[in-house]
Amino acid sequence: MGYTREELPVRTKSTSLFNHLDTMPGDPIFGLMSLYAKDPAEEKASLTIGVYRDEQGKPWVLPTVRKVEKMIAEDVATNHEYLPMEGLHAFVESARDLLFGNPSPALTSRIGSLQTISGTGAVHLGARFLNDSLQPKRIWVSDPTWGNHHAIFDIAAPAVEQKMYPYYDAATCSLNFSGMMETLEEQAQPGDVILLHACAHNPTGIDPTKEQWKLIADLCERKHLFPFFDSAYQGFASGDVDEDAWAVRHFVDRGTLELVVAQSFSKNFGLYGQRVGAFHIVTADEQARDKALSHLIYLQRAEISNPPVYGARIVAFILQNAELKAEWEQDLLIMSGRIKTMRAALFGALQELKTPGNWQHIVDQNGMFSYTGLSEKQVLALRKEHIYLLTSGRASISGLNRDNVKMVAKAIDKVVRASGDAPAVAA
């Protein structure tokens, strides 16, 4: 809403130029965290925010990260100068090589990379860049997806229509692959962008199989869709960085698809507050790569100028040292292994209680999150039992530990029996 000079309201102590604004809704995850913090119950569990917690429910600084922090602090050459606009060179190269598997010189010449403000900043930069350069009419997003995807594209690419492709089958708590493929086959148009989760789909925890990924790549080639990968959990999901990058590498190896990838180091390095990320574009040739990268750097200059250095230094230090990288890979196995153990523990506790429904999906899903199949009514009932998760039924498995998993299972059993509605009965 704008005003001409003649229409400007008379300023008084009780008036503001901003009173016309609507109040925007708060983020549901952080709102739930606040409710949990205020809950006076001694026994309670938060399965909300997507951060790793140890067996005591505490934040965990990776031992390898802790070691490198000390090394950086003791290095007299360390300073706090500005980075180049594209970021710390050692980090950008390391991030690229981790994602694409030490690409050949021929492939490297086609990959443009720069450092971003974590994965969120990478998605935002990519959305704005594609909006300006390709001017797509539509972007196809999984139903459901990470909630912030919608907000980012609303802000960075407001003219691009967001279309949803089926992803989650509520009847079986599994991937609706046929619905996904049929919708894209029938409705997607050449030039459309398709947003894909590289691994550990957020919020469902359900990933396509390798054979299904091949069919998705076939469709992108055939329909001339532009893939936009969001890679937030490489190595954190399975414990194997190569396994978790398989889908991205398969698309690139075909040699026929140009694409972009948003990459985050929050989960796999535990650097949540450092906001370490990267954005990569794979083009058909080196000339296109250089042109695209120049536009990305131009946008970067206008938005943040220079990315932060500390977290990027930690990642680069680890990835460029074979011994430290091996130690970090053991840290990944600890985190991913604990989450798998908690999935099995929750499933086992529900089985022991003979909770109505089929809960196999909890162990079949992958990564930090589980789409439990619980309804909004059941989730709200769980809050009365001091268990907090999103109304969609998404639970952060990392919030479980040996001390609370049986309590959570008993609460789920109670609300499911009371509601008479058992998830995944049709599975």
Side-chain angles (χ1 to χ4, degrees):
M1 178 178 180
Y3 296 95
T4 65
R5 183 176 294 276
E6 293 74 19
E7 294 172 330
L8 283 172
V10 177
R11 296 293 304 279
T12 70
K13 290 183 178 179
S14 60
T15 62
S16 170
L17 295 175
F18 303 101
N19 281 333
H20 66 286
L21 295 176
D22 295 327
T23 300
M24 299 299 287
D27 185 272
I29 295 175
F30 289 94
L32 274 180
M33 289 173 62
S34 178
L35 284 178
Y36 171 78
K38 294 175 182 176
D39 189 333
E42 290 187 12
E43 290 192 337
K44 57 182 181 177
S46 174
L47 310 180
T48 53
I49 193 167
V51 294
Y52 181 78
R53 292 290 182 255
D54 63 16
E55 270 298 315
Q56 286 69 50
K58 303 295 184 183
W60 192 58
V61 179
L62 277 62
T64 316
V65 168
R66 185 77 79 190
K67 178 188 291 188
V68 170
E69 285 181 318
K70 292 179 181 178
M71 297 168 72
I72 291 174
E74 294 169 358
D75 184 354
V76 295
T78 298
N79 58 52
H80 304 287
E81 291 292 297
Y82 286 126
L83 289 177
M85 285 181 285
E86 59 268 35
L88 183 68
H89 182 70
F91 164 76
V92 173
E93 280 198 341
S94 298
R96 178 200 65 200
D97 292 352
L98 183 73
L99 181 64
F100 296 103
N102 298 313
S104 66
L107 177 55
T108 300
S109 69
R110 296 168 42 218
I111 301 174
S113 305
L114 71 167
Q115 184 183 336
T116 60
I117 305 296
S118 200
T120 302
V123 174
H124 180 274
L125 184 68
R128 177 60 193 271
F129 169 71
L130 294 179
N131 176 76
D132 296 351
S133 59
L134 300 186
Q135 299 181 345
K137 293 182 179 179
R138 288 164 293 271
I139 178 169
W140 289 90
V141 182
S142 66
D143 183 11
T145 193
W146 178 46
N148 210 21
H149 279 149
H150 297 298
I152 291 170
F153 275 89
D154 280 343
I155 292 170
V160 180
E161 181 185 7
Q162 294 184 44
K163 301 280 286 184
M164 306 293 285
Y165 58 83
Y167 195 85
Y168 177 68
D169 185 341
T172 61
C173 296
S174 63
L175 176 64
N176 182 4
F177 185 70
S178 61
M180 171 185 179
M181 296 299 283
E182 288 171 9
T183 297
L184 292 171
E185 198 69 73
E186 295 172 4
Q187 300 182 34
Q189 300 298 315
D192 287 356
V193 175
I194 178 169
L195 188 63
L196 301 164
H197 298 234
C199 67
H201 183 273
N202 179 4
T204 67
I206 303 167
D207 293 330
T209 65
K210 290 179 180 178
E211 290 306 311
Q212 289 171 334
W213 273 121
K214 292 176 183 178
L215 294 174
I216 295 169
D218 287 342
L219 184 143
C220 289
E221 286 183 340
R222 186 172 60 256
K223 299 281 290 183
H224 301 287
L225 307 183
F226 188 91
F228 188 147
F229 278 98
D230 189 350
S231 178
Y233 301 96
Q234 186 184 356
F236 185 94
S238 69
D240 184 327
V241 294
D242 296 317
E243 182 68 18
D244 290 346
W246 189 92
V248 173
R249 294 177 189 177
H250 174 73
F251 274 60
V252 172
D253 288 346
R254 287 180 168 235
T256 55
L257 290 166
E258 294 183 298
L259 56 88
V260 297
V261 187
Q263 184 183 24
S264 170
F265 291 86
S266 291
K267 272 71 175 181
N268 54 11
F269 275 81
L271 294 171
Y272 302 97
Q274 296 301 332
R275 315 309 293 142
V276 187
F279 181 80
H280 311 274
I281 181 167
V282 182
T283 60
D285 54 54
E286 186 173 358
Q287 182 182 34
R289 186 274 309 268
D290 291 344
K291 289 181 177 180
L293 193 56
S294 73
H295 281 261
L296 287 162
I297 294 172
Y298 179 79
L299 289 173
Q300 181 100 304
R301 172 60 171 161
E303 294 192 344
I304 65 168
S305 284
N306 315 82
V309 67
Y310 185 69
R313 252 187 207 133
I314 293 172
V315 173
F317 209 115
I318 292 171
L319 293 182
Q320 292 196 331
N321 181 294
E323 184 177 338
L324 289 171
K325 185 179 179 184
E327 292 180 21
W328 168 67
E329 289 173 341
Q330 290 305 305
D331 294 340
L332 289 175
L333 288 172
I334 290 172
M335 292 189 291
S336 60
R338 199 188 81 74
I339 289 178
K340 291 174 185 176
T341 298
M342 286 302 102
R343 286 187 180 277
L346 179 59
F347 174 69
L350 292 169
Q351 291 290 93
E352 186 177 325
L353 292 166
K354 295 182 170 54
T355 304
N358 185 330
W359 299 92
Q360 180 65 34
H361 57 279
I362 291 176
V363 289
D364 289 343
Q365 293 164 357
N366 186 32
M368 182 174 284
F369 301 112
S370 171
Y371 237 42
T372 59
L374 295 167
S375 68
E376 180 175 350
K377 181 179 179 181
Q378 290 167 332
V379 168
L380 295 176
L382 279 174
R383 292 183 195 170
K384 297 178 181 178
E385 305 298 323
H386 314 290
I387 311 298
Y388 294 82
L389 59 154
L390 300 187
T391 53
S392 63
R394 191 202 81 170
S396 176
I397 299 298
S398 180
L400 296 173
N401 55 58
R402 286 189 297 264
D403 293 332
N404 68 17
V405 67
K406 289 190 175 181
M407 176 190 70
V408 171
K410 287 178 182 177
I412 292 174
D413 181 77
K414 179 178 178 180
V415 301
V416 168
R417 292 182 187 278
S419 68
D421 182 16
V425 170

